[in-house]
Structure formats: structure tokens, C-alpha cells
Amino acid sequence: MKIVVRICPPHSASKKVRRHFGDLITNDLVDIFDLDAASERFAQYLELTRKDKEGTWFNPWMEFTQEELDQCDFLQPVCRGPVFAETDADYNQSREWLDATAKIETTHGFKVKLLKRVCVKDRKLKPNVIAGVLEWTPDYILPTEIVKIFKRSKLDGFSVRKVFNRKAQLPFQDFHLLYSDHFMPAATRVVFPPESIPLEERLGDDFKKAGISLNRVRELDQQDEQTLSLYGCLCYETLNRNTLRDFNRTAEPWASNDFPLWVVSQRVRDIYREHKLKGWIFEPVLEKDSELYEEHRLLWKSFVGAIQINRANHM
């Protein structure tokens, strides 16, 4: 596993960044490029910009080998397929439905909302492709053929809801909204010492209320007391295979609009690969007693510690 970082340098550092990293910059107007967080060139970039007062914005993500994914009983599916679009009228109708949907209290005081129906613009969807639902949800649309495959394979924990063509005032017949109301336990949030991440200075008094973890910061603000940011993999103390399903939702609203993320079993990935489905990649869901968890913990501890060479740097 590795952390890859999209680097967005401050404008004030543009000349020296282009002088040292111009071979990685593909846009004449924007100084943006990607580096492996464990690479020597990433360390060189941090040293080069350590005194820049504006700091650098880092956008990190993770990449995994197939062997690492094979070790996990549960995984997080991530959209890499088409995403259904919407008109303004579609959006207004979907928002009206969502706003009328009650929040579900899960665990540790978290509350989430589940998308139960949605309006989208008509489009073609290949029978083996999973699509995202609009730009503002973490949900998925399945063509009828994939629904049949999942049911024939006896995957549990899911059902499907209607996707509407607002113009026709009718649900689409060829694709469906993936739905589950089976929830994961609370994700772990206490992993390594806060002193290794001087974010306390930025979160102020809310830091103690929020808590900080290996791969996520729960940030509280006046507008929304459930603003969560997820870095790296979902991590858990332990997972009970007897109570979890093939399709589950996180207890926390990691996505915007109070939406939880999806967690699926390794069986789902097996069926996905067996039938050559498209539209998802998978990321590990880790348990604290695993070797992958410890490797993941050390990677993030090293990365977050490294970027603090300049206190103005941020993610």
C-alpha cells in the first residue's frame, strides 16, 4: 500500500517549484502534480517549501495491491464508473424527498440519512456497469442484470429502490437504486498520540471534543456538529462476521448531506470480478489486530508528521 499525494503549491512558490518539478507538471497554468508520499522527491518538495508562508495544500489518497485487498474480509467500494446527471428540476425533486427523510440514529450519537428514491436524467447504462448517483451522493445505480447477478449469488443486506424519470413521471425499468439499512459498528477514532499531529492548534477548543485518529479528524463547527473528514481506510476495532451482511453502510455520515459510505464483503468483490463487472474499485476495511492496519497506521503517521515541517501546510 502507498499514499499518493496531489500537490497544490502556493502561487508564491511557483517559480522554484517549476524549476525543480517541472517534469511532473502537465498544465502551463496550474502547478499541480502527484508524488508518492514515501518517495525522495516528496521529501525534496517538503524541504524546498518548508519556509513558504502560504503553505501547500495536499490531497492524499491510497493505492493497494490485489494481494492486500485479498487479505480483507470487508472492503469499501469506490466509484470509478459513469455518474448519472440531473436537471435543476430533478435536483429540486430529489432534495425535497431527501429533506423529508428522517435521520436514522446509528451509534455513538451519529445520525445518517439514506437515499430512498432519486430523479436523474435518462442515459444509457451497459448491463455490466455500476454507476454513481449524481455528484452529491455516495450511492449507486445498478442495471437490472447486475441486480439479478447479486440475487442469484445470494448476496444479502441489499435491496433496490426506484430511480425516477421526472419528465415521464415514471420509474426507470432498466436500472435501480442500490439500498441497504444494515449498519457497521462505530469506526475506530483513537490511534496515535495527538502530539504527532499539531492540528490541535487549528481546531482549538473543539480538538478535545472532536478527538483525532490515524486516518480521520472529526471536525466540529457551529453549523454542523457532524462534519467528518476521512483520510485513508475505514478502520475498526473488530468486525463480527456473524452480524454483518454482504452490503452494509457505515454508522458515521462520512459523506456530505449526512450520507454514510458503503462497506461490502469480500464475496461481493468475488462476484464482481467473476462476472467482469465495472464501475467500482475496492479499498480495504481494516481491523486493529491486522498487519495491514499497522502498516496503514505507520504510513499515515509518517505522512502527517512529514507535512508539518511547514505549519502552514494543510490537507
Side-chain angles (χ1 to χ4, degrees):
M1 71 175 69
K2 64 181 179 179
I3 297 175
V4 181
V5 191
R6 179 148 296 164
I7 298 173
C8 304
H11 180 71
S12 58
S14 180
K15 286 186 179 180
K16 64 181 178 182
V17 168
R18 282 190 173 266
R19 187 165 60 248
H20 290 272
F21 296 93
D23 58 312
L24 301 177
I25 299 172
T26 59
N27 191 309
D28 291 337
L29 301 177
V30 183
D31 302 333
I32 295 177
F33 57 99
D34 301 340
L35 285 173
D36 183 332
S39 67
E40 184 176 336
R41 294 200 77 182
F42 183 65
Q44 291 171 349
Y45 176 85
L46 293 177
E47 184 62 33
L48 180 70
T49 58
R50 68 181 301 170
K51 294 183 179 180
D52 287 295
K53 293 182 179 180
E54 294 178 61
T56 295
W57 181 68
F58 298 101
N59 179 21
W61 67 89
M62 300 199 73
E63 294 181 357
F64 307 92
T65 66
Q66 293 303 311
E67 291 74 18
E68 287 166 340
L69 295 176
D70 290 341
Q71 295 178 45
C72 302
D73 289 338
F74 292 91
L75 306 123
Q76 180 189 344
V78 179
C79 185
R80 289 297 184 270
V83 177
F84 274 78
E86 62 187 343
T87 65
D88 289 345
D90 292 331
Y91 172 79
N92 291 337
Q93 179 62 78
S94 296
R95 285 298 322 189
E96 181 181 330
W97 288 336
L98 182 63
D99 291 344
T101 301
K103 291 183 179 180
I104 300 171
E105 185 165 346
T106 55
T107 184
H108 289 259
F110 288 113
K111 295 179 180 180
V112 301
K113 280 194 173 187
L114 299 178
L115 195 65
K116 297 182 178 181
R117 53 181 173 170
V118 67
C119 285
V120 300
K121 290 173 68 173
D122 195 6
R123 62 163 294 154
K124 291 182 179 179
L125 186 63
K126 293 181 179 179
N128 68 330
V129 174
I130 298 170
V133 183
L134 312 176
E135 297 288 349
W136 51 276
T137 87
D139 286 292
Y140 297 104
I141 286 176
L142 308 181
T144 299
E145 183 56 36
I146 293 182
V147 176
K148 291 178 180 178
I149 289 171
F150 286 172
K151 288 184 176 179
R152 282 199 305 267
S153 303
K154 295 184 171 19
L155 296 176
D156 63 11
F158 84 97
S159 59
V160 294
R161 299 297 178 96
K162 293 177 180 179
V163 179
F164 284 88
N165 181 331
R166 191 195 54 80
K167 266 189 177 180
Q169 297 292 308
L170 291 170
F172 291 102
Q173 298 302 309
D174 297 331
F175 37 79
H176 317 270
L177 178 66
L178 180 64
Y179 181 84
S180 177
D181 56 6
H182 297 281
F183 291 99
M184 301 291 291
T188 185
R189 283 188 293 281
V190 180
V191 183
F192 59 68
E195 59 266 23
S196 65
I197 317 175
L199 289 171
E200 183 169 9
E201 297 169 10
R202 286 183 239 159
L203 295 180
D205 292 339
D206 282 335
F207 178 83
K208 294 181 179 60
K209 291 186 289 182
I212 200 160
S213 77
L214 154 72
N215 55 4
R216 58 186 65 86
V217 181
R218 182 182 176 192
E219 301 174 3
L220 306 182
D221 59 41
Q222 294 179 350
Q223 285 75 39
D224 183 358
E225 293 191 354
Q226 287 198 132
T227 300
L228 301 175
S229 298
L230 175 63
Y231 301 112
C233 298
L234 287 163
C235 297
Y236 294 88
E237 293 284 340
T238 186
L239 295 175
N240 186 338
R241 279 81 177 150
N242 296 322
T243 58
L244 295 177
R245 308 296 181 92
D246 291 312
F247 289 88
N248 309 273
R249 305 302 298 265
T250 58
E252 301 86 358
W254 292 117
S256 61
N257 297 292
D258 299 308
F259 288 130
L261 299 177
W262 285 89
V263 173
V264 301
S265 69
Q266 187 69 244
R267 286 187 65 222
V268 174
R269 176 171 171 253
D270 291 342
I271 298 301
Y272 179 94
R273 298 169 77 188
E274 177 186 341
H275 291 273
K276 296 181 172 54
L277 305 184
K278 297 180 180 181
W280 279 345
I281 62 168
F282 296 92
E283 296 185 352
V285 170
L286 303 177
E287 294 181 80
K288 283 188 71 172
D289 63 353
S290 68
E291 292 182 8
L292 285 180
Y293 175 90
E294 183 62 13
E295 182 179 353
H296 179 266
R297 185 184 75 83
L298 293 175
L299 269 178
W300 278 93
K301 182 175 182 179
S302 175
F303 169 69
V304 174
I307 68 174
Q308 295 303 314
I309 190 172
N310 182 340
R311 294 298 180 90
N313 289 341
H314 55 284
M315 292 189 288

